Amino acid sequence: MNKKYIFLLFLFFTGFTHLAAQENNIATGNFSVLNWIILAVFLIGTTVFGELVKGKDKGLDGFFKGGNNLPWWAVSLALIATTTSVSTFIAVPAFVFSPDGDLTYLQMTFGFALGSILMIFVLLKEYYQEGIYSPYDFIQNRLGVKTSQLSRTFFMGGATLSQAVRLLGTALVLSVITGQSTIVCIFIITVFAVVWSYIGGITTVVWTAAVQFAIFIFGALFALFFAIGDIPGGLSEMLTIADTKAKLVLIDLSLDPHKTYTLWVGILGCTFFQFGANAVDQVVTQCALSCKSLKEARKAVGFSALGLIITWVMAIVGIALVAFYDINPLSQNVASSIATEPDRIFPYYVVNQLPDGVSGVIIAAMFAAGISTLTSALAALSQTSVMGVGGFIFPKLKTMPEQKVVNISKYTIVVWGAILGLLAYMFSFSQGGGLLALGFKVPGYVYGTLVGIAFLALMRKGSFPAILIGSLLAVAAIAWMHNEGISFFWWFPVGAIVVMATAILHEFVFKKKEI
């Protein structure tokens, strides 16, 4: 990556913005030339910054683990940006703003915090002691190559689907601003994500994500302050309007497994989900493994739980939007558009209500945060497919010079970028209950299974045939739950329990027969 490519990116972006100006939709009117300049400078500046901070180590350890030389606080901010991203920034307000929405989603944050704590004390120590690149290396050391390849396959399937949803979320933001088609927006986001990942591997990913997070949280707080200030009567009036619309419901003690957001789902289902995201999803784990030591990694994961504050802030922003548009009703055309794609409501508000220039900074922050999340995924998918699956299929990779393997990994990033872009475009036709639900459903078929396999590896229990059967049974059970409309957060603990129970029962029966 050099100045020539940065210049080409600048030409590409300015050409895109010129094309974007040719179309118009419900949200383009207030996105001025100043805002476009801010957005262009922001993206090009981040690209230059990524070039400046890339690691000096040119080997595999430098490209995929940052030479284990990244400060814990930067890793922590990168973890927050990776796990919250644009999905939280636009989907949480959209959920609260929707006709049946309220604050019950915030119950999920309890489980998110517990899942991070579980990661700190259960698997992180094992990962650092064995000096691995990914959790699938840990599984391979404990349970063998076949089980690790099965885990990698599950991860790549789940990661491509979930990251495609996040890519779609960022594309929706840009689509609201420019009026361009979703496919054009997906394309430009993918180009920048590929470039950022290609520059310097995990080092560039972590530092750019950390910088974007700082602006990301500023955007959330400013939007909250401005939204409340825009309501006559301020906070008091906002809460009064929200209460009349039943938007302030926070705790749901229902035992109905079909309800998506209840306290029990938050404490149990979300704990398994977050533990899976931290412990067996290479997108997140790769960042945690780039710290200088186990002690610093634990601090990084622990402090990343503070990122849940963003979820609460964005939920309150959703309440403010309810009050604001109750006082200032949307036009019929806009209301119809929002009803079709509810995730557009917060970007629409930012573009049309915030001051010129400020809206550009906030949109740029959302846009860059979404790309930062995608860069983490591209780095993780590249590592898994080249060093994991690729090394198994093509043994020559293990004896190649490290720099050559790094170059192959960079080319793989481009391929994965194209795959994620295509999937994001396909998801744009079936947003169902919104991005918030879709973002959790798509990895639901694999996260629970991966958590179960990781626990089996920790216990050194389970043969490959039993784990394979257990994984298939877990997928079948989750498919049945999906068909029955059972909350997707229950899929994660059920998947883990089915895999573990099958493997342990098989081992018990096998040993009993031997006796």
Side-chain angles (χ1 to χ4, degrees):
M1 184 69 188
N2 55 38
K3 293 179 180 178
K4 178 180 70 175
Y5 297 112
I6 294 173
F7 178 68
L8 289 176
L9 275 178
F10 176 75
L11 291 179
F12 166 76
F13 185 81
T14 52
F16 170 80
T17 56
H18 175 73
L19 175 63
Q22 308 305 311
E23 294 193 25
N24 195 24
N25 78 345
I26 62 172
T28 57
N30 292 337
F31 206 75
S32 65
V33 173
L34 174 61
N35 287 337
W36 277 117
I37 292 173
I38 291 172
L39 184 56
V41 170
F42 197 77
L43 290 172
I44 301 301
T46 303
T47 305
V48 174
F49 176 76
E51 172 71 18
L52 294 175
V53 299
K54 69 180 182 180
K56 297 180 181 179
D57 188 346
K58 303 297 182 181
L60 290 171
D61 194 62
F63 193 75
F64 289 121
K65 294 176 67 178
N68 285 112
N69 198 38
L70 297 174
W72 70 266
W73 57 267
V75 172
S76 186
L77 295 181
L79 287 172
I80 295 172
T82 299
T83 54
T84 54
S85 183
V86 170
S87 292
T88 300
F89 212 78
I90 68 172
V92 171
F95 171 75
V96 176
F97 186 82
S98 63
D100 298 324
D102 49 34
L103 297 179
T104 51
Y105 175 73
L106 294 179
Q107 296 169 109
M108 307 305 103
T109 59
F110 304 146
F112 293 154
L114 290 173
S116 295
I117 294 171
L118 192 62
M119 166 64 171
I120 292 172
F121 294 105
V122 176
L123 282 173
L124 198 56
K125 180 181 179 181
E126 307 289 337
Y127 289 171
Y128 266 82
Q129 285 180 340
E130 298 194 15
I132 56 175
Y133 281 97
S134 76
Y136 321 114
D137 295 336
F138 171 74
I139 292 171
Q140 181 170 322
N141 294 343
R142 300 294 184 92
L143 300 178
V145 174
K146 291 182 178 179
T147 302
S148 70
Q149 294 301 329
L150 177 66
S151 302
R152 289 186 176 97
T153 302
F154 272 116
F155 160 70
M156 288 191 293
T160 52
L161 295 175
S162 60
Q163 294 303 322
V165 171
R166 292 189 173 193
L167 171 56
L168 175 59
T170 311
L172 286 176
V173 174
L174 190 58
S175 178
V176 166
I177 302 166
T178 65
Q180 285 295 299
S181 65
T182 303
I183 189 171
V184 172
C185 299
I186 289 172
F187 179 72
I188 187 174
I189 294 165
T190 304
V191 167
F192 276 96
V194 167
V195 169
W196 291 4
S197 303
Y198 190 96
I199 291 175
I202 194 64
T203 300
T204 302
V205 167
V206 167
W207 281 112
T208 53
V211 171
Q212 306 320 322
F213 168 77
I215 302 174
F216 180 76
I217 187 63
F218 161 78
L221 293 174
F222 187 88
L224 176 62
F225 173 80
F226 199 94
I228 294 177
D230 228 15
I231 300 170
L235 181 63
S236 175
E237 181 66 15
M238 180 189 81
L239 294 176
T240 299
I241 294 173
D243 188 42
T244 60
K245 293 180 175 291
K247 296 291 184 180
L248 300 182
V249 178
L250 177 60
I251 301 297
D252 188 340
L253 298 177
S254 172
L255 297 176
D256 183 358
H258 298 88
K259 298 195 72 171
T260 303
Y261 305 121
T262 68
L263 183 62
W264 320 117
V265 170
I267 293 175
L268 297 175
C270 284
T271 298
F272 270 83
F273 169 81
Q274 187 66 15
F275 178 72
N278 284 331
V280 295
D281 186 340
Q282 177 68 353
V283 175
V284 179
T285 307
Q286 189 169 0
C287 291
L289 293 176
S290 62
C291 290
K292 297 178 181 179
S293 64
L294 171 62
K295 181 180 179 181
E296 294 216 343
R298 281 177 164 169
K299 286 195 291 186
V301 175
F303 276 89
S304 70
L306 295 176
L308 296 173
I309 294 173
I310 299 174
T311 304
W312 283 74
V313 170
M314 296 315 300
I316 300 173
V317 168
I319 293 293
L321 294 178
V322 170
F324 179 80
Y325 286 115
D326 181 73
I327 298 170
N328 307 280
L330 294 165
S331 68
Q332 186 174 353
N333 289 338
V334 174
S336 177
S337 176
I338 297 299
T340 303
E341 295 180 291
D343 298 290
R344 291 176 178 265
I345 184 62
F346 180 58
Y348 174 79
Y349 172 80
V350 170
V351 171
N352 287 276
Q353 300 300 326
L354 297 186
D356 190 26
V358 174
S359 58
V361 171
I362 296 176
I363 289 294
M366 289 193 290
F367 184 62
I371 299 178
S372 295
T373 302
L374 190 57
T375 57
S376 300
L378 291 173
L381 288 167
S382 173
Q383 191 280 331
T384 303
S385 56
V386 174
M387 295 184 64
V389 178
F392 179 73
I393 299 175
F394 304 105
K396 289 184 178 180
L397 279 171
K398 298 178 181 179
T399 58
M400 284 183 182
E402 284 197 3
Q403 188 54 47
K404 190 171 183 179
V405 180
V406 169
N407 291 336
I408 293 172
S409 301
K410 288 185 175 182
Y411 301 145
T412 307
I413 285 173
V414 178
V415 174
W416 278 115
I419 292 172
L420 292 178
L422 179 61
L423 284 173
Y425 178 66
M426 293 171 62
F427 278 138
S428 68
F429 294 101
S430 58
Q431 292 179 40
L435 290 177
L436 192 60
L438 188 60
F440 289 121
K441 284 181 179 179
V442 289
Y445 279 86
V446 299
Y447 262 22
T449 301
L450 286 174
V451 169
I453 295 174
F455 274 123
L456 289 171
L458 188 65
M459 297 184 291
R460 300 180 186 271
K461 290 183 177 291
S463 63
F464 172 71
I467 292 173
L468 177 60
I469 293 171
S471 299
L472 295 176
L473 290 175
V475 171
I478 292 168
W480 175 81
M481 295 171 72
H482 191 177
N483 186 60
E484 292 296 313
I486 295 175
S487 173
F488 45 80
F489 277 117
W490 290 121
W491 303 356
F492 303 102
V494 168
I497 291 170
V498 169
V499 172
M500 294 172 63
T502 304
I504 293 173
L505 180 62
H506 177 273
E507 186 171 299
F508 174 77
V509 172
F510 184 76
K511 285 186 176 180
K512 191 173 182 180
K513 285 184 177 180
E514 281 188 335
I515 295 173

